[in-house]
Amino acid sequence: MPTVTITVNGNTVSRAVEGRTLLVHFLREQLGLTGTHVGCDTSQCGACVVLVDGRSIKSCTMLAAQADGREVTTIEGLAAADGTLHPMQAAFRQHHGLQYGFCTPGMVMSAVELARTTPHLTEQAVRDGLEGNICRCTGYHNIVKAILAGAEAMQVEPVAQAAE
Amino acid sequence: MYDFDYLRPTTVADAVALLAQRSEAKFLAGGQTLLPTLKQRLAQPEAVIDLSRIAALQGIREDGDALVIGAMTLHADVAASALVLRVIPALAALAGEIGDRQVRNRGTLGGSISNNDPAADYPGAVLGLGATIETDRRSIAADDFFTGMFETALDPGEIVTSVRFPVPQRAAYRKFPNPASRYATAGVFVARTVDGVRVAVTGAGATVFRVPAIEDALAADFSPAALTGITVDDDGLNSDIHASAAYRAHLIMVLARRAVAAIS
């Protein structure tokens, strides 16, 4: 079995995996990071979205072996060590951007990439950017509101940190 | 998914050699089609050969009057490339409409055209622009490359290394996406080039195809009005739960007019 070395949420881990092991199963079953969900398992719903080298991808449609040497960020890697929520997580809470929440980790991870890569997010850009994330509660209205607010907070935050 | 040996060569020559050593092996590009296929146990390769760490398959460059895009270049990188946006903006726009963000962050040009899904977007641009497909052993004209549903002119074990897109004067792509999958129910790529007008249709037939009647009409008069009265025969077009063949034939003309309007 190939051995993979992947930096997950800042921690570098090495594990033997089968060739067929999907990244999502590596994260959930080998590392116990169950915040990344398996929804449809057909690369449509986006509940399994994580960041690989900063890009959002569906971890049910990537082999763990393909992530060898890469940096992976999951929902568990967003909050600060003291538990302070990432601005996008805080915005989802404030704007009630979830109903039963199964899609939420994937939504938040997609939103983080969207906010980082799109300078002036509009509502339409958020809706287009969420094409790969499905909310079965159809609670998109508050999700979009949360992402717009979270993106704004992410723009502000680096300035605030620099001022400290 | 059945288990397989995962192999990761760093040169094209090694990839070709590894495939030749195995009775049943598959090249893995972005995996956005192959991995779902394996998960459904529709294929059982003995080995999967990951092409993602081969540097020679990466990158976008201008070469004379052409844009050369490495086979393993991600859709997202083509969509965001300042060079592609400047030289062939229609190609960047097309790449930015493939699937969803996460698919565009994994899917590759070479993987898409080698798979030749009848509803894929890239074959429209490759045929519409009259591109040349470079492989590890030869050059193949787009007109000869797409041979049938999920079929290409590639030999077993042959790897697409890059695609050379001649720079058109103007080009545009319009598609009617399936609202769930974003695949093209029908998509029309129209290009004005120094050699004439090329029109390629994807999503509507077994494989991408050109429409000489539309090309001839646009060569005489490049305007949406020039397409009035032209119809596409629906015989042989795809018919499924999403759209009938007659509806797709209608869509082709609507999308062709939209594409022409966008550039005339």
Side-chain angles (χ1 to χ4, degrees):
Chain A
M1 290 200 293
T3 297
V4 296
T5 301
I6 306 175
T7 301
V8 181
N9 299 332
N11 301 314
T12 302
V13 295
S14 291
R15 295 279 193 286
V17 297
E18 290 184 319
R20 63 178 166 179
T21 301
L22 294 168
L23 180 58
V24 67
H25 293 141
F26 176 78
L27 294 170
R28 288 177 58 84
E29 293 164 17
Q30 297 215 26
L31 303 186
L33 296 171
T34 54
T36 302
H37 292 166
V38 180
C40 67
D41 202 25
T42 56
S43 59
Q44 296 183 56
C45 80
C48 66
V49 169
V50 301
L51 305 183
V52 175
D53 288 348
R55 290 174 182 265
S56 68
I57 62 96
K58 293 181 178 174
S59 61
C60 80
T61 312
M62 181 171 181
L63 301 174
Q66 289 177 288
D68 188 24
R70 307 298 195 204
E71 285 193 20
V72 175
T73 307
T74 71
I75 190 72
E76 290 91 343
L78 288 187
D82 67 357
T84 304
L85 293 180
H86 182 279
M88 192 60 77
Q89 292 174 302
F92 267 70
R93 186 164 77 172
Q94 187 183 349
H95 294 274
H96 198 67
L98 63 149
Q99 290 178 36
Y100 82 94
F102 193 83
C103 72
T104 310
M107 288 282 180
V108 171
M109 299 313 291
S110 290
V112 166
E113 187 211 29
L114 196 60
R116 281 182 187 157
T117 55
T118 316
H120 302 291
L121 264 186
T122 59
E123 179 183 337
Q124 191 57 49
V126 172
R127 291 186 183 275
D128 290 346
L130 290 184
E131 279 178 342
N133 294 82
I134 296 173
C135 168
R136 273 294 73 127
C137 311
T138 70
Y140 295 102
H141 186 71
N142 282 0
I143 291 171
V144 173
K145 271 201 327 199
I147 292 173
L148 287 169
E152 200 167 316
M154 284 171 65
Q155 302 289 329
V156 170
E157 179 144 301
V159 181
Q161 283 173 344
E164 283 171 3
Chain B
M1 206 177 338
Y2 298 112
D3 200 15
F4 47 76
D5 290 339
Y6 170 84
L7 305 169
R8 196 168 59 212
T10 55
T11 67
V12 173
D14 284 352
V16 172
L18 283 170
L19 191 100
Q21 290 164 12
R22 304 285 183 138
S23 58
E24 180 85 18
K26 290 268 188 201
F27 291 130
L28 174 65
Q32 301 304 285
T33 297
L34 180 57
L35 292 178
T37 303
L38 294 177
K39 287 166 70 172
Q40 292 181 68
R41 297 192 169 182
L42 295 173
Q44 189 175 5
E46 171 196 349
V48 166
I49 301 167
D50 182 358
L51 305 178
S52 67
R53 310 289 170 105
I54 300 176
L57 300 180
Q58 306 283 346
I60 304 172
R61 65 188 168 85
E62 209 171 359
D63 182 19
D65 57 359
L67 197 58
V68 180
I69 302 183
M72 287 296 289
T73 307
L74 304 176
H75 306 330
D77 289 342
V78 173
S81 162
L83 177 58
V84 182
L85 283 164
R86 176 170 61 79
V87 178
I88 314 180
L91 185 59
L94 176 146
E97 291 180 1
I98 297 172
D100 55 47
R101 284 179 74 83
Q102 291 74 39
V103 167
R104 294 193 291 272
N105 277 336
R106 296 294 302 157
T108 67
L109 169 61
S112 171
I113 66 169
S114 300
N115 187 49
N116 194 21
D117 190 301
D121 296 291
Y122 260 135
V126 171
L127 187 64
L129 289 166
T132 303
I133 294 90
E134 306 288 348
T135 79
D136 61 300
R137 59 200 73 169
R138 59 182 167 149
S139 300
I140 307 172
D143 285 305
D144 302 324
F145 184 80
F146 302 103
T147 54
M149 188 176 281
F150 294 108
E151 287 181 4
T152 68
L154 292 170
D155 290 331
E158 186 170 11
I159 297 181
V160 174
T161 53
S162 66
V163 179
R164 172 178 291 267
F165 294 95
V167 176
Q169 293 163 325
R170 299 289 297 275
Y173 176 65
R174 289 293 180 273
K175 77 164 164 174
F176 189 86
N178 177 304
S181 70
R182 312 292 168 190
Y183 271 113
T185 303
V188 178
F189 197 100
V190 175
R192 288 186 91 166
T193 76
V194 289
D195 299 321
V197 178
R198 293 178 67 99
V199 175
V201 174
T202 190
T207 185
V208 65
F209 60 92
R210 290 172 67 184
V211 187
I214 300 179
E215 294 180 351
D216 294 345
L218 292 175
D221 172 16
F222 196 89
S223 73
L227 301 182
T228 304
I230 297 177
T231 56
V232 175
D233 188 354
D234 64 19
D235 188 30
L237 295 188
N238 298 336
S239 194
D240 53 34
I241 59 166
H242 306 299
S244 66
Y247 184 62
R248 282 190 163 90
H250 178 73
L251 273 182
I252 290 168
M253 294 313 301
V254 171
L255 296 167
R257 278 193 291 273
R258 287 181 187 171
V260 172
I263 55 180
S264 57

